[in-house]
Amino acid sequence: MADVLPEAFLRAVAEGFPSDFLTREPGELQEYGRDWTRVYSPAPSAVAFPRTTDEVARLMALCNQYRVPVVPSGGRTGLAAGAVAPRGELVLSLRRMTRMDPVDLLGNSVRVQAGAVTEAVHHHCAEHGLTWPVDFASKGSSQVGGNIATNAGGVKVIRYGLTRQWVLGLQVVTAQGQVLELNGALEKNNTGADLRQLFIGSEGTLGVITEATLKLAPLPGKQDVFLFAVPDVASVLRLFREARRAPLLLSAYEFFTDKCLARVQRHRKLRSPFEAPSGCYVLMEAEGKDPSEVESWLGSLFERGLVTDGTLAQGASQASELWALREGISESLSATGLPHKNDVSLPVANLEAFCSELDAVFSERYPGWEIALFGHIGDGNLHINIMKPDDMEKAEFLAHTKKADPTMFELVRKHGGSISAEHGIGLLKKDYLSFSRSPAELEMLRTLKRALDPNNILNPGKILDV
């Protein structure tokens, strides 16, 4: 492990911070030096656990002074190696910063520290009939700061949009240790460039988010949860077109293949509600407008052969069971094998053409391999997981996928898509950023990085090199 912490820096930390502020214990270095990716080995020099923005600011000032590289760390649920510390960096964990202020019932907002867990924020607001409508499978461990730093997506984007649409204000600590208060709790603030948006989605490379004022929405009305069986991805897309015209307000439209279901059943021991297997499954959550119209629409799906089987959850318990089949996929793929993950997005109108050409990529690059597809069809997001063959060494597998990825990304570019819909770039996708960003855009991103972090200490090497 490379140790980049000067003795003078360590003395300053020991003198200026609580005794439990910094750890170099090997087990904690391993735990906090990685995220959900398992491609890079964690090798941080230390982990810091601040409780306040003041402590973050003073620490960042010291890190800038002594040129100590810093990896900001939230719930570490990312899938692009954006929170991995592979080269002796100092990990700055926000996990102790969990304060949640009282909900502002007049402004429909709440201010929280960056370490507040997403699901805890949901519970905090629900008792007032409100929610922060950012929702995904990792909500039980992901943190608000990480959600914002990656502009997280999730399963409700089709109805509510991305994280950035639900952030009123930010408190950010710069690389030099300055504290910025950006936009407060304002809905309107037309005073020049919106600096808050610079930090949303920047993956901790421009500043450390320490607090946020979140915009809240009313809790949705009664949600019906459906699971449909369909033969293939083309059928998933046909059903989506029908769902868009249905007498429903869609909150989620998710799909997964039989390969995903098999891995979830293997890992979590969950049962499918259907007796006969199917090539693909669609999980749909929606708010019905007229029960009789919804019932008629459901009947027409079977009559027209758009679905081969289907079930409607009878109550919250069954709804949770159906959602578990979808939300357990990422965890199950990693628990039962080594997946190479691609998280791409396309304009929804281009999905069908893209998917029809995707099979040719699989046949050429991964003949006979297990490929697990799932995603948020409603917002054009596909998660493409290539599973490592059991008889192949990890190094050979990673080398193969690295050679094959450009073929897929060229197809993504051809159809006007993005190589990263919601996972971010981190280390994993850095080499391929040019498939989604022009040379002019890349130079502008480098200019921003140099201006805000001239010593390149904030999450160095992530997104792009400067």
Side-chain angles (χ1 to χ4, degrees), residues 278-314:
S278 187
C280 289
Y281 301 89
V282 170
L283 188 144
M284 191 172 77
E285 183 174 286
E287 195 173 332
K289 299 176 182 177
D290 181 321
S292 62
E293 287 186 4
V294 173
E295 185 176 343
S296 175
W297 178 75
L298 288 173
S300 76
L301 297 181
F302 290 91
E303 291 169 5
R304 291 178 289 159
L306 290 167
V307 300
T308 56
D309 208 341
T311 185
L312 167 63
Q314 303 299 310

Side-chain angles (χ1 to χ4, degrees), residues 378-421:
D379 53 58
N381 184 186
L382 290 176
H383 296 293
I384 302 166
N385 296 267
I386 313 299
M387 303 303 297
K388 183 183 80 66
D390 292 338
D391 58 353
M392 183 178 287
E393 292 297 320
K394 178 179 177 180
E396 182 186 354
F397 172 68
L398 294 177
H400 186 99
T401 56
K402 187 176 180 66
K403 289 181 180 177
D405 275 346
T407 304
M408 184 181 302
F409 294 150
E410 188 57 56
L411 183 62
V412 169
R413 176 160 58 185
K414 173 185 172 183
H415 289 279
S418 168
I419 65 165
S420 182

Side-chain angles (χ1 to χ4, degrees), residues 223-227 283-285 312-327:
Q223 299 287 296
D224 286 324
V225 177
F226 310 86
L227 186 68
L283 188 144
M284 191 172 77
E285 183 174 286
L312 167 63
Q314 303 299 310
S317 177
Q318 285 189 14
S320 295
E321 291 173 5
L322 294 182
W323 266 110
L325 296 174
R326 163 61 186 88
E327 294 191 323

Side-chain angles (χ1 to χ4, degrees), residues 12 112 136 289 324 351 435:
V112 304
F136 25 73
K289 299 176 182 177
L351 266 175
F435 283 92

Side-chain angles (χ1 to χ4, degrees), residues 1-190:
M1 179 184 73
D3 193 335
V4 296
L5 303 183
E7 285 302 317
F9 170 81
L10 291 171
R11 283 196 302 271
V13 171
E15 293 168 2
F17 296 88
S19 59
D20 64 348
F21 183 79
L22 197 76
T23 181
R24 308 189 82 183
E25 195 276 318
E28 293 197 289
L29 295 183
Q30 284 291 307
E31 179 181 354
Y32 288 94
R34 72 192 318 163
D35 58 13
W36 276 3
T37 56
R38 294 294 183 263
V39 176
Y40 302 93
S41 298
S45 293
V47 185
F49 297 101
R51 291 179 171 87
T52 65
T53 295
D54 176 69
E55 287 186 343
V56 175
R58 289 189 290 116
L59 177 66
M60 287 307 305
L62 285 174
C63 290
N64 193 56
Q65 178 183 345
Y66 290 101
R67 306 296 192 267
V68 173
V70 176
V71 175
S73 175
R76 306 181 310 286
T77 58
L79 294 165
V84 174
R87 293 186 290 270
E89 300 95 336
L90 170 72
V91 173
L92 196 166
S93 171
L94 284 303
R95 79 171 180 88
R96 289 178 178 168
M97 298 181 63
T98 59
R99 191 194 77 247
M100 295 184 288
D101 290 348
V103 174
D104 178 351
L105 297 177
L106 190 60
N108 278 9
S109 66
V110 64
R111 184 168 175 124
V112 304
Q113 286 185 307
V117 172
T118 310
E119 192 169 46
V121 175
H122 292 167
H123 292 321
H124 181 61
C125 300
E127 60 189 79
H128 303 288
L130 298 168
T131 187
W132 190 46
V134 174
D135 190 9
F136 25 73
S138 61
K139 59 181 174 286
S141 50
S142 71
Q143 297 174 7
V144 168
N147 299 163
I148 296 171
T150 57
N151 189 30
V155 298
K156 303 292 177 66
V157 173
I158 188 174
R159 179 166 179 177
Y160 294 107
L162 292 166
T163 294
R164 72 167 68 249
Q165 289 152 281
W166 297 94
V167 178
L168 288 176
L170 290 179
Q171 185 181 74
V172 178
V173 176
T174 69
Q176 297 79 21
Q178 296 173 307
V179 179
L180 303 178
E181 285 284 354
L182 304 174
N183 203 60
L186 295 174
E187 286 277 6
K188 290 184 173 182
N189 183 8
N190 196 5

Side-chain angles (χ1 to χ4, degrees), residues 160-453:
Y160 294 107
L162 292 166
T163 294
R164 72 167 68 249
Q165 289 152 281
W166 297 94
V167 178
L168 288 176
L170 290 179
Q171 185 181 74
V172 178
V173 176
T174 69
Q176 297 79 21
Q178 296 173 307
V179 179
L180 303 178
E181 285 284 354
L182 304 174
N183 203 60
L186 295 174
E187 286 277 6
K188 290 184 173 182
N189 183 8
N190 196 5
T191 55
D194 188 350
L195 297 179
R196 160 191 55 159
Q197 298 295 345
L198 264 184
F199 297 97
I200 299 176
S202 65
E203 300 185 39
T205 62
L206 302 180
V208 181
I209 295 166
T210 55
E211 297 193 15
T213 302
L214 308 176
K215 183 176 180 177
L216 305 178
L219 281 169
K222 179 181 177 293
Q223 299 287 296
D224 286 324
V225 177
F226 310 86
L227 186 68
F228 298 110
V230 296
D232 48 33
V233 174
S235 301
V236 171
L237 297 171
R238 281 195 294 273
L239 180 58
F240 178 61
R241 282 198 297 272
E242 292 296 322
R244 279 292 206 194
R245 297 194 291 265
L248 301 163
L249 178 59
L250 284 178
S251 295
Y253 190 93
E254 304 286 300
F255 99 101
F256 51 95
T257 62
D258 55 343
K259 301 290 194 301
C260 294
L261 179 61
R263 293 273 180 173
V264 172
Q265 291 178 305
R266 178 173 153 191
H267 175 56
R268 289 196 170 186
K269 314 302 181 189
L270 300 178
R271 294 178 55 197
S272 168
F274 307 129
E275 291 185 7
S278 187
C280 289
Y281 301 89
V282 170
L283 188 144
M284 191 172 77
E285 183 174 286
E287 195 173 332
K289 299 176 182 177
D290 181 321
S292 62
E293 287 186 4
V294 173
E295 185 176 343
S296 175
W297 178 75
L298 288 173
S300 76
L301 297 181
F302 290 91
E303 291 169 5
R304 291 178 289 159
L306 290 167
V307 300
T308 56
D309 208 341
T311 185
L312 167 63
Q314 303 299 310
S317 177
Q318 285 189 14
S320 295
E321 291 173 5
L322 294 182
W323 266 110
L325 296 174
R326 163 61 186 88
E327 294 191 323
I329 292 173
S330 283
E331 173 193 323
S332 299
L333 293 178
S334 296
T336 59
L338 176 62
H340 173 66
K341 295 176 174 291
N342 273 309
D343 157 52
V344 304
S345 67
L346 287 302
V348 175
N350 295 0
L351 266 175
E352 193 161 357
F354 173 81
C355 289
S356 67
E357 294 184 54
L358 195 57
D359 283 340
V361 174
F362 293 156
S363 298
E364 175 190 348
R365 291 295 189 172
Y366 302 108
W369 291 34
E370 180 183 346
I371 297 167
L373 293 176
F374 68 99
H376 323 292
I377 288 294
D379 53 58
N381 184 186
L382 290 176
H383 296 293
I384 302 166
N385 296 267
I386 313 299
M387 303 303 297
K388 183 183 80 66
D390 292 338
D391 58 353
M392 183 178 287
E393 292 297 320
K394 178 179 177 180
E396 182 186 354
F397 172 68
L398 294 177
H400 186 99
T401 56
K402 187 176 180 66
K403 289 181 180 177
D405 275 346
T407 304
M408 184 181 302
F409 294 150
E410 188 57 56
L411 183 62
V412 169
R413 176 160 58 185
K414 173 185 172 183
H415 289 279
S418 168
I419 65 165
S420 182
E422 58 184 4
H423 292 170
I425 297 299
L427 291 172
L428 278 181
K429 298 298 188 300
K430 183 171 72 171
D431 293 343
Y432 311 110
L433 191 54
S434 62
F435 283 92
S436 290
R437 295 285 198 163
S438 69
E441 287 179 298
L442 293 172
E443 187 51 41
M444 189 171 291
L445 290 173
R446 291 189 180 95
T447 299
L448 281 171
K449 173 68 171 173
R450 295 186 194 111
L452 295 179
D453 181 18

